[in-house]
Amino acid sequence: MRLLVRELACFFAAVRFFTRLPVPAWVGHSAELLDAAPRYFPAVGLVVGGIGAAVFWLAALVWPQPVAVLLSMAATLYATGAFHEDGLSDMADGFGGGWTRERILEIMKDSRVGSYGVTALTLALAGKATLLSLLPAAWVPAALVAGHALSRFCSGALMALLDYVRGDGAAGGNGASKARPVAARMPPAALAVAGLFAAVGLGQWCLLAPPLPLLSALALALLATAWLVRLMRRNLGGYTGDCLGAVQQVSELAFYLGLLARWPAV
């Protein structure tokens, strides 16, 4: 029972860090909880995707599918505080405008959004809205849950493959608290736990929709992640918190793209 309570506290710590959702008052603040938070990243995706799926299902009873998709996206953006979208825009600005490692990191730390960031964010939001609107309506709730869970696993995998390259919190204080959950290598056991929650998201898809589109969606999401990992390794030698957000956004978009793929007969 004590272990179950501890793991539940770790999950709520992840919810508190990665979303704006309220958590029970008994969940405290500690370095141990923050260290464990990343393994529940895909579990947070199940929650956020579930919120989007519920809003879509309710909205689709009243409005056309594109409107329901926009409302579900608004709900997930509100739930996360556009946490990952901010990372995508920062990384796009850094990699688009920086020619050296130091300059990329400097641009990514700037709170202002440049033309690369605006373009990336616009394409990501418009792309998700378009792809989800083109899916069969019965597939959309399952797609949202699976896409949010898998994309957060892809972000977690980044923490297992690369080193954190910015010492934001090295001096301690608030910066250390904010950086801690994303600044340490994710051990294999923690990645396995994250993978289980991602598998739950993918498994519910198989109960609600044909499995074949899931294969291409999974392949494209993993391919997009591998491309970003290579880009970060070559240009930064590691990752930052913004990179995690970018991986989540791009892999989620790639997942929806794969669901709509129509492969020619061989």
Side-chain angles (χ1 to χ4, degrees):
M1 181 62 70
R2 183 177 301 176
L3 177 62
L4 179 61
V5 172
R6 176 185 174 278
E7 291 303 310
L8 193 58
C10 293
F11 165 70
F12 282 129
V15 171
R16 179 166 52 203
F17 186 86
F18 293 114
T19 76
R20 300 173 60 179
L21 301 174
V23 301
W26 59 265
V27 180
H29 296 266
S30 71
E32 184 183 9
L33 291 178
L34 287 175
D35 286 340
R39 68 173 177 255
Y40 288 107
F41 201 7
V44 174
L46 293 176
V47 174
V48 174
I51 291 172
V55 170
F56 173 84
W57 182 79
L58 291 172
L61 299 176
V62 182
W63 292 288
Q65 183 170 338
V67 178
V69 166
L70 287 176
L71 291 174
S72 72
M73 288 177 59
T76 58
L77 284 167
Y78 180 78
T80 62
F83 191 59
H84 310 298
E85 287 78 5
D86 179 69
L88 172 64
S89 66
D90 284 344
M91 181 177 169
D93 278 333
F95 278 70
W99 294 99
T100 65
R101 178 180 183 273
E102 291 70 25
R103 181 57 180 157
I104 292 172
L105 291 174
E106 180 184 355
I107 294 173
M108 289 170 67
K109 288 181 69 175
D110 194 331
S111 60
R112 294 170 295 182
V113 180
S115 57
Y116 289 104
V118 170
T119 301
L121 195 54
T122 300
L123 287 174
L125 293 174
K128 284 190 279 188
T130 300
L131 293 170
L132 289 169
S133 295
L134 290 173
L135 280 176
W139 293 11
V140 174
L144 286 167
V145 174
H148 278 275
L150 177 65
S151 61
R152 283 163 173 79
F153 172 78
C154 292
S155 269
L158 190 67
M159 298 172 62
L161 296 171
L162 300 176
D163 291 320
Y164 188 74
V165 298
R166 181 186 296 160
D168 297 293
N174 292 335
S177 296
K178 291 183 67 176
R180 187 177 185 109
V182 298
R185 279 262 186 169
M186 183 182 287
L191 187 63
V193 172
L196 287 176
F197 288 108
V200 170
L202 298 176
Q204 58 82 40
W205 167 275
C206 295
L207 297 175
L208 301 172
L212 188 58
L214 183 64
L215 297 178
S216 60
L218 180 60
L220 282 185
L222 295 178
L223 185 63
T225 302
W227 172 69
L228 288 173
V229 167
R230 181 176 179 273
L231 195 66
M232 293 169 203
R233 181 178 283 126
R234 186 177 69 233
N235 290 278
L236 294 180
Y239 71 93
T240 70
D242 290 328
C243 294
L244 296 177
V247 169
Q248 188 279 318
Q249 287 291 293
V250 174
S251 60
E252 183 190 355
L253 183 62
F255 181 81
Y256 301 146
L257 192 65
L259 292 180
L260 275 172
R262 296 177 181 176
W263 303 105
V266 178

